[in-house]
Structures are given as C-alpha cells and as structure tokens.
Amino acid sequence: MSNSTNTTSPSRTQFRLPAWARSFGVQIIAALLIGLVLGLIAKYTGSTKSSPNGLGATLQTIGSSYVSLLQTAVVPLIFTAVVSSIANLRQVSNAARLAWNTLLWFAITSLIAVVIGIGLGVLLQPGAGTGITQKAEYSGKTGDWWAFLTGLFPKNFLGLGASTTVTDSAATTSVSFNVLQILVIAIAVGIAALKVGKAAEPFLNFTASALAVIQKVLWWIIRIAPLGTIGLIGNAVAVYGWDTIGSLGKFTVAIYIGLALVLFVVYPILVRTHGLSIKQYFTGVWPAVQLAFVSRSSIGTLPLTQRVTERNLGVPSGYASFAVPLGATTKMDGCAAIYPAVAAIFVAQFFGINLDLSQYLLIVLVSVLGSAATAGTTGAVVMLTLTLSTVGLPLAGVGLLLAIDPILDMGRTAVNVAGQALVPTLVAKRQRILDESLYNASRQATAFIDDSEARSESDSSERELAAAKA
C-alpha cells in the first residue's frame, strides 16, 4: 500500500498591468506622446525627409512597415468579408432595403458635411491674405469621371495592377490594388454563389473559414498598433513638423473646425434623433477613430471599424460586413466632403476667382457623388483634383496644399471612419435590427477579444454567477 500525498504548489505571483494600462485607448494616447517626443528629437537633431538620421529612419521604417502590414490583408479581407456578407444577407428578408438605406444615408451625411465645408470657406476666407506668392504646380494623379466608370471593370480577377520603374541600375516593380474593383468582383461572386445554391455551399464555407483566419491575423496586427503609432506620429513630426502649417494656418483651422463640427455636432445630433446614447456611440467607435487618426488609412482601419461596429455598436454581423467595407471605399465625409469644399473655395480665393451659385452647386454634387470615383486611390488629393477640374478651377492650387496634407489627413481619416461606423448603426436602428442591449452595454474592450476568448469569458462569468447564487 502506497501513501500518496497531494501537494499544492505555491501560487506564483504573476505580474499584470493595471486595468487602465491595458486599455487600447490609453496605449494609443501614450504612443502618441512618445511618438511626438521622439519625432521632435529627430527633427531637432537634423533629420529630414530626404536625409533622415538614425532615429528618423527608425521611426519612418516602423510607421511604413505597420501600414504595410495593415494593407497586406486588405484584398483577402474585403473579398472574403463581402462574399460572406452577401451569403449572410440571404437570411435577411429586407436585404435590398438595407443596401438602399445605406447608400441614402451615405449621401445625406456627405451632403451635410459639404454644406458645412462651403459655409466655413465662405465665412473664414482661408485663401485670402495667405502671403504666399509662388503658385505651386501639381503634376500628380488627377480625378476623372470617365476613369471612374472604366475603373469599375476589373482587368484581372484580383483587381491588381503593376507598374515598373526603370533606372540606370535596376528595374523596380510595385503592385497595387483597386479597392473598388475588388468590391465589384466580390459582389459578383457573392451573388453568383447565391444563385448557384446548394452546390456553392462548400465554397461559402471555405470563404467563411478563410475570413476567420484573416481576421485573426489582422487582430494580431491591430494589437501592435501602439508601436505603429510611435513610428507614424514620430515620422510625421520629424518630416513635416508643425511649422509647415505656417501661412496656411487659416486653411488648416477651417478644415479642423469643419471636421470637429461633423464629428462632435452633426454625428451626435443624428445619433440622438435616432434615440441612441451619444456617449455609447463615442465610447464604442473611439478605438477605430484613434487608429484611423494615426494610420491615415480607412482601408487599413477597416478590420477594427467593422469589429467595433458589430461588438460595440450592436450592428448585426451579416449587415456590418457588407456596409462597413462599402463605407471604407465610398463613405468619406472628411476626405470627400469637407476637405474638397473648403479647399476649392481656398483655391478660388487665392487666384481671385469669384464663384457663382452654379459652381457651389457643382462642389456639392461632386462631393456627394464623387467619393466613389476616388475609391482605391490616395483619396483626398485626387478628390480635390476632381472637384477643381469639374468646377473649372486651376489644378495648380493643389500644389499649394500638399505641404500640410499629412497633418490634415489625420483628422480627415478619423472623421471618415467615424461616419463609416455611424451609418450602419443608424440604418440598423431604423430597420429594427440593432442590438440595443449590446449598444448600451458597458465597454469592456470586447472589440479586442477573440470569439473563443469571448465565449470563454462568458462561460466563466456564468459559472461565477451560479456559484454566487449557490
């Protein structure tokens, strides 16, 4: 007979950060401050865009690498998300109504934003008395309505393009993708799968599985966002600094006032008129807004925008996975409404051109309808060239604003993403499919918990509750 003794190993004390320090928002704010300090150090130790020093080069590499990581998964994410969402919409009786209402509210919010932009441009006169005498030229990509229409037709299944630059020493090939073409391909494939019926079930199951894997990888990338933030903000400060605002201060102020009015006045009014809590909207969408501000990429922020729209704001997954990717390509209140409106008025005032009512109406029309024409491109600058060419203003004015574009782009992208989450929430509320209990729930960083972890925590909570009752 053997005597067995059960020994309990002494509990190990595990170090854990306090709850506030584990908050994604706190980590992003801390990263912003660290990036700002490092950027200033790099700037004042001689780092420039063309000749960065060690610190400047490190910040630039970290920031660009993080954005590249985000963008790497964009193509498979959009394709699998849209195909899966169309498959999920077959279970929704009012799918066509949801799509129509989504587009309608995209247009309504864009109209409000562009009217605010025009009002600020007329009131603040940002193009008058700038003190700038040089009329900078612009030779970059321009927006074009015909190019938008022809761009809807994919040149290959993946919507990819390649360009090669030949120098004396080597040839460099870069690959790019057109988000709008990918969206068209995914919608066509999704609808075809629905029409095929039972034979398409294995394909739809594979797509759903691939989407889960892609989202897991993207989640790992998003969790290191604070590190990317340090590089992005640090590089922006080191390269551009805040002194680039200079003589364009009135224009910069006008843009940020417009962005603030849309984000903190218009959006809350819309939220409140739909019977929802303003506080819950902001606490729900804020993680995505923060990431958008530092990354300056609506597409790069797409996974987080979709996650907070579903988990924090209570929009059904089947609808959110359709509306949010669509919004990330065509819904840009910052880049395609406020910015081109104020910038067009700035250019007119700078060159001494008086705009008439028809030209103001053209600015409104282009801003409401034109954001789709810049989908898949580097948004705001191309959108501005589209607006200027449509209204008949000199494209040379674009060159005047390029110096401060990175500073403006942070705020523009944050407003874009806030609107991309807002519209699906309003439409879901109006169609009575919004999970209001989830919308009104306390924020426990559930947007950053994987599905398996969320189920585990839920089971644990239920066991604790049962034990307490016992």
Side-chain angles (χ1 to χ4, degrees):
M1 179 173 140
S2 62
N3 294 328
S4 61
T5 59
N6 294 327
T7 60
T8 303
S9 59
S11 60
R12 296 180 179 177
T13 303
Q14 296 182 350
F15 172 77
R16 295 190 67 184
L17 293 171
W20 63 268
R22 296 196 300 270
S23 167
F24 182 78
V26 172
Q27 292 172 2
I28 289 291
I29 292 173
L32 281 168
L33 295 175
I34 295 171
L36 176 63
V37 172
L38 293 178
L40 289 172
I41 293 173
K43 180 176 178 62
Y44 291 109
T45 53
S47 182
T48 63
K49 184 176 183 178
S50 58
S51 180
N53 58 22
L55 178 57
T58 301
L59 293 172
Q60 186 179 34
T61 301
I62 292 174
S64 61
S65 298
Y66 183 72
V67 173
S68 296
L69 282 174
L70 282 173
Q71 293 178 339
T72 298
V74 166
V75 173
L77 173 70
I78 292 180
F79 180 82
T80 55
V82 172
V83 171
S84 297
S85 67
I86 291 176
N88 293 335
L89 284 176
R90 62 186 168 176
Q91 303 171 2
V92 181
S93 59
N94 59 343
R97 186 185 302 174
L98 284 172
W100 162 248
N101 276 270
T102 301
L103 295 174
L104 177 63
W105 276 97
F106 280 179
I108 290 173
T109 51
S110 294
L111 177 61
I112 296 171
V114 71
V115 169
I116 289 175
I118 290 175
L120 288 171
V122 173
L123 179 64
L124 298 180
Q125 300 283 304
T130 61
I132 302 175
T133 57
Q134 181 182 2
K135 296 176 175 57
E137 296 297 327
Y138 174 71
S139 59
K141 180 180 285 188
T142 59
D144 179 78
W145 289 104
W146 183 250
F148 161 63
L149 294 175
T150 57
L152 288 172
F153 301 96
K155 294 180 176 61
N156 54 69
F157 178 72
L158 297 177
L160 297 177
S163 60
T164 302
T165 303
V166 180
T167 62
D168 294 336
S169 57
T172 304
T173 300
S174 60
V175 179
S176 61
F177 56 87
N178 186 307
V179 176
L180 191 60
Q181 289 183 5
I182 297 169
L183 196 63
V184 171
I185 294 169
I187 291 173
V189 171
I191 294 174
L194 290 184
K195 294 295 184 182
V196 168
K198 187 175 181 180
E201 287 297 328
F203 169 73
L204 293 177
N205 290 335
F206 169 77
T207 303
S209 177
L211 176 60
V213 173
I214 293 165
Q215 287 179 326
K216 169 68 83 172
V217 174
L218 278 167
W219 232 213
W220 293 340
I221 297 172
I222 287 173
R223 290 304 293 166
I224 62 171
L227 179 61
T229 298
I230 293 174
L232 289 164
I233 294 299
N235 181 63
V237 173
V239 171
Y240 302 100
W242 305 113
D243 53 343
T244 54
I245 296 176
S247 57
L248 295 174
K250 285 177 65 177
F251 176 74
T252 305
V253 169
I255 293 293
Y256 269 93
I257 288 176
L259 296 173
L261 286 174
V262 170
L263 182 59
F264 298 114
V265 178
V266 175
Y267 287 174
I269 290 175
L270 292 175
V271 168
R272 196 60 188 161
T273 54
H274 283 77
L276 298 173
S277 166
I278 296 172
K279 176 185 175 183
Q280 290 297 104
Y281 165 70
F282 277 116
T283 56
V285 79
W286 204 248
V289 171
Q290 288 177 312
L291 183 59
F293 183 83
V294 297
S295 69
R296 295 167 46 202
S297 172
S298 294
I299 295 296
T301 313
L302 172 60
L304 183 56
T305 308
Q306 183 172 329
R307 183 66 69 98
V308 299
T309 303
E310 294 176 9
R311 292 194 173 185
N312 288 353
L313 301 182
V315 178
S317 177
Y319 169 52
S321 58
F322 167 79
V324 177
L326 179 64
T329 58
T330 60
K331 169 63 179 168
M332 295 178 274
D333 288 343
C335 289
I338 295 172
Y339 177 74
V342 177
I345 294 174
F346 168 89
V347 172
Q349 292 169 352
F350 181 85
F351 288 101
I353 301 171
N354 293 321
L355 298 177
D356 56 28
L357 179 60
S358 64
Q359 289 173 306
Y360 283 118
L361 291 177
L362 275 177
I363 293 174
V364 173
L365 180 64
V366 175
S367 298
V368 173
L369 301 178
S371 60
T374 62
T377 65
T378 49
V381 173
V382 178
M383 182 64 197
L384 176 56
T385 65
L386 179 66
T387 305
L388 295 180
S389 59
T390 303
V391 178
L393 295 172
L395 289 180
V398 179
L400 299 169
L401 306 176
L402 288 178
I404 60 170
D405 191 71
I407 296 172
L408 302 178
D409 200 28
M410 294 187 289
R412 290 188 314 232
T413 309
V415 172
N416 291 345
V417 166
Q420 291 157 14
L422 173 72
V423 170
T425 304
L426 299 183
V427 172
K429 170 65 176 179
R430 296 175 70 87
Q431 298 300 315
R432 299 179 181 177
I433 60 173
L434 185 70
D435 186 345
E436 293 193 49
S437 62
L438 186 57
Y439 181 96
N440 294 315
S442 60
R443 305 300 183 208
Q444 301 292 339
T446 54
F448 299 96
I449 301 177
D450 290 330
D451 293 331
S452 58
E453 294 175 0
R455 287 192 295 269
S456 176
E457 288 198 3
S458 176
D459 294 341
S460 176
S461 298
E462 289 177 1
R463 288 194 297 269
E464 290 177 1
L465 181 61
K469 289 181 178 179

